[in-house]
């Protein structure tokens, strides 16, 4: 059994570390993930269920929790049903970041959530085709060090990073763009109209 100590880690790191362990585990090996909050347990449970893993868990007795994941061990009652072919989406996947915050409410929480979202993008099995930044989102590619680093990782993985030039100029950030290229409204419209999937956190 492989043990991952994810206590004290902020979302989405417990899931990220669990997925790394699953990729390294021997066939049939169980991964035991230690966490310190119920939300992390829920996130790990959803991830394991999505990947068809056997799952168990509980409390460790010291106020913490454990989740045990065995990749590929879950049997499906629908295994004998004929597969249903779903058409693959055509066009590119575009992630739109129109603010340096995610959601409404607390600005501090919103900025933390946006940093976590961009980091989580770097941990996906496949990077989006394009990350498009405009309005307040332009700050993410020019003045937020953590997000700039993650956007660079996405760019290295083949993702196109584009920031609105008008927005950079409005926020006096034109000379501070640290990753990707500059785009314009015509190109933004064209990109969104041709996209197969547009994701707005």
């Amino acid at each position: 059994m492989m043990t991952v100590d994810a206590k004290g880690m902020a979302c989405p790191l417990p899931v990220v570390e669990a997925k790394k362990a699953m990729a390294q585990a021997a066939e049939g090996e169980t991964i035991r993930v230690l966490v310190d909050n119920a939300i992390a347990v829920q996130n790990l449970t959803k991830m394991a269920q999505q990947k068809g893993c056997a799952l168990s868990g509980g409390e460790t007795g010291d106020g913490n929790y454990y989740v045990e994941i065995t990749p590929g061990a879950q049997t499906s009652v629908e295994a004998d049903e004929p597969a249903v072919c779903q058409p693959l989406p055509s066009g590119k996947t575009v992630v739109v970041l129109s603010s340096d915050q995610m959601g409404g409410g607390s600005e501090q929480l919103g900025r933390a959530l946006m940093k976590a979202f961009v980091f989580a993008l770097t941990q996906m099995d496949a990077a989006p085709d394009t990350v498009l930044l405009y309005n307040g989102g332009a700050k993410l590619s020019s003045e937020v060090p953590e997000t700039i680093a993650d956007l660079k990782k996405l760019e290295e993985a083949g993702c196109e990073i584009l920031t609105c030039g008008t927005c950079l100029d409005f926020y006096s950030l034109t000379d501070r763009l640290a990753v990707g290229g500059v785009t314009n409204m015509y190109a933004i419209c064209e990109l969104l109209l041709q996209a197969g999937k547009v994701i707005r956190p």
Side-chain angles (χ1 to χ4, degrees):
M1 179 182 292
M2 187 185 303
T3 299
V4 176
D5 188 351
K7 297 191 300 293
M9 291 185 182
C11 173
L13 286 175
V15 170
V16 169
E17 294 302 314
K19 289 178 69 175
K20 287 180 182 178
M22 290 166 65
Q24 297 170 2
E27 185 176 353
E29 183 176 10
T30 297
I31 295 93
R32 182 182 176 96
V33 187
L34 304 174
V35 293
D36 57 9
N37 64 87
I39 298 298
V41 172
Q42 294 175 22
N43 292 337
L44 288 164
T45 299
K46 289 178 183 177
M47 182 273 290
Q49 290 172 339
Q50 289 171 353
K51 292 187 173 294
C53 302
L55 187 69
S56 63
E59 296 189 28
T60 59
D62 56 359
N64 295 313
Y65 305 84
Y66 72 91
V67 178
E68 292 182 355
I69 302 169
T70 307
Q74 186 180 62
T75 57
S76 174
V77 296
E78 301 177 356
D80 294 331
E81 293 185 6
V84 177
C85 295
Q86 298 288 345
L88 293 173
S90 60
K92 295 182 177 181
T93 298
V94 179
V95 174
V96 174
L97 304 179
S98 59
S99 173
D100 62 341
Q101 302 173 40
M102 187 173 181
S106 165
E107 292 184 7
Q108 181 181 1
L109 176 58
R111 291 191 179 97
L113 291 174
M114 184 58 81
K115 289 178 185 177
F117 175 81
V118 178
F119 169 74
L121 281 179
T122 70
Q123 302 300 309
M124 298 294 104
D125 294 333
D129 295 288
T130 304
V131 173
L132 181 59
L133 305 101
Y134 55 73
N135 207 325
K139 299 174 184 178
L140 299 172
S141 57
S142 56
E143 64 176 17
V144 183
E146 303 92 333
T147 307
I148 289 170
D150 288 329
L151 289 171
K152 287 181 177 179
K153 289 179 183 177
L154 289 170
E155 190 173 45
E156 290 168 3
C159 176
E160 183 180 35
I161 310 296
L162 296 173
T163 304
C164 167
T166 300
C167 307
L168 288 168
D169 184 59
F170 179 86
Y171 289 111
S172 301
L173 295 171
T174 302
D175 295 334
R176 297 178 62 185
L177 182 66
V179 56
V182 177
T183 191
N184 57 72
M185 189 54 67
Y186 182 87
I188 289 171
C189 288
E190 192 174 48
L191 187 64
L192 293 177
L193 286 170
Q194 295 175 356
K197 184 187 296 183
V198 176
I199 300 168
R200 302 172 186 270

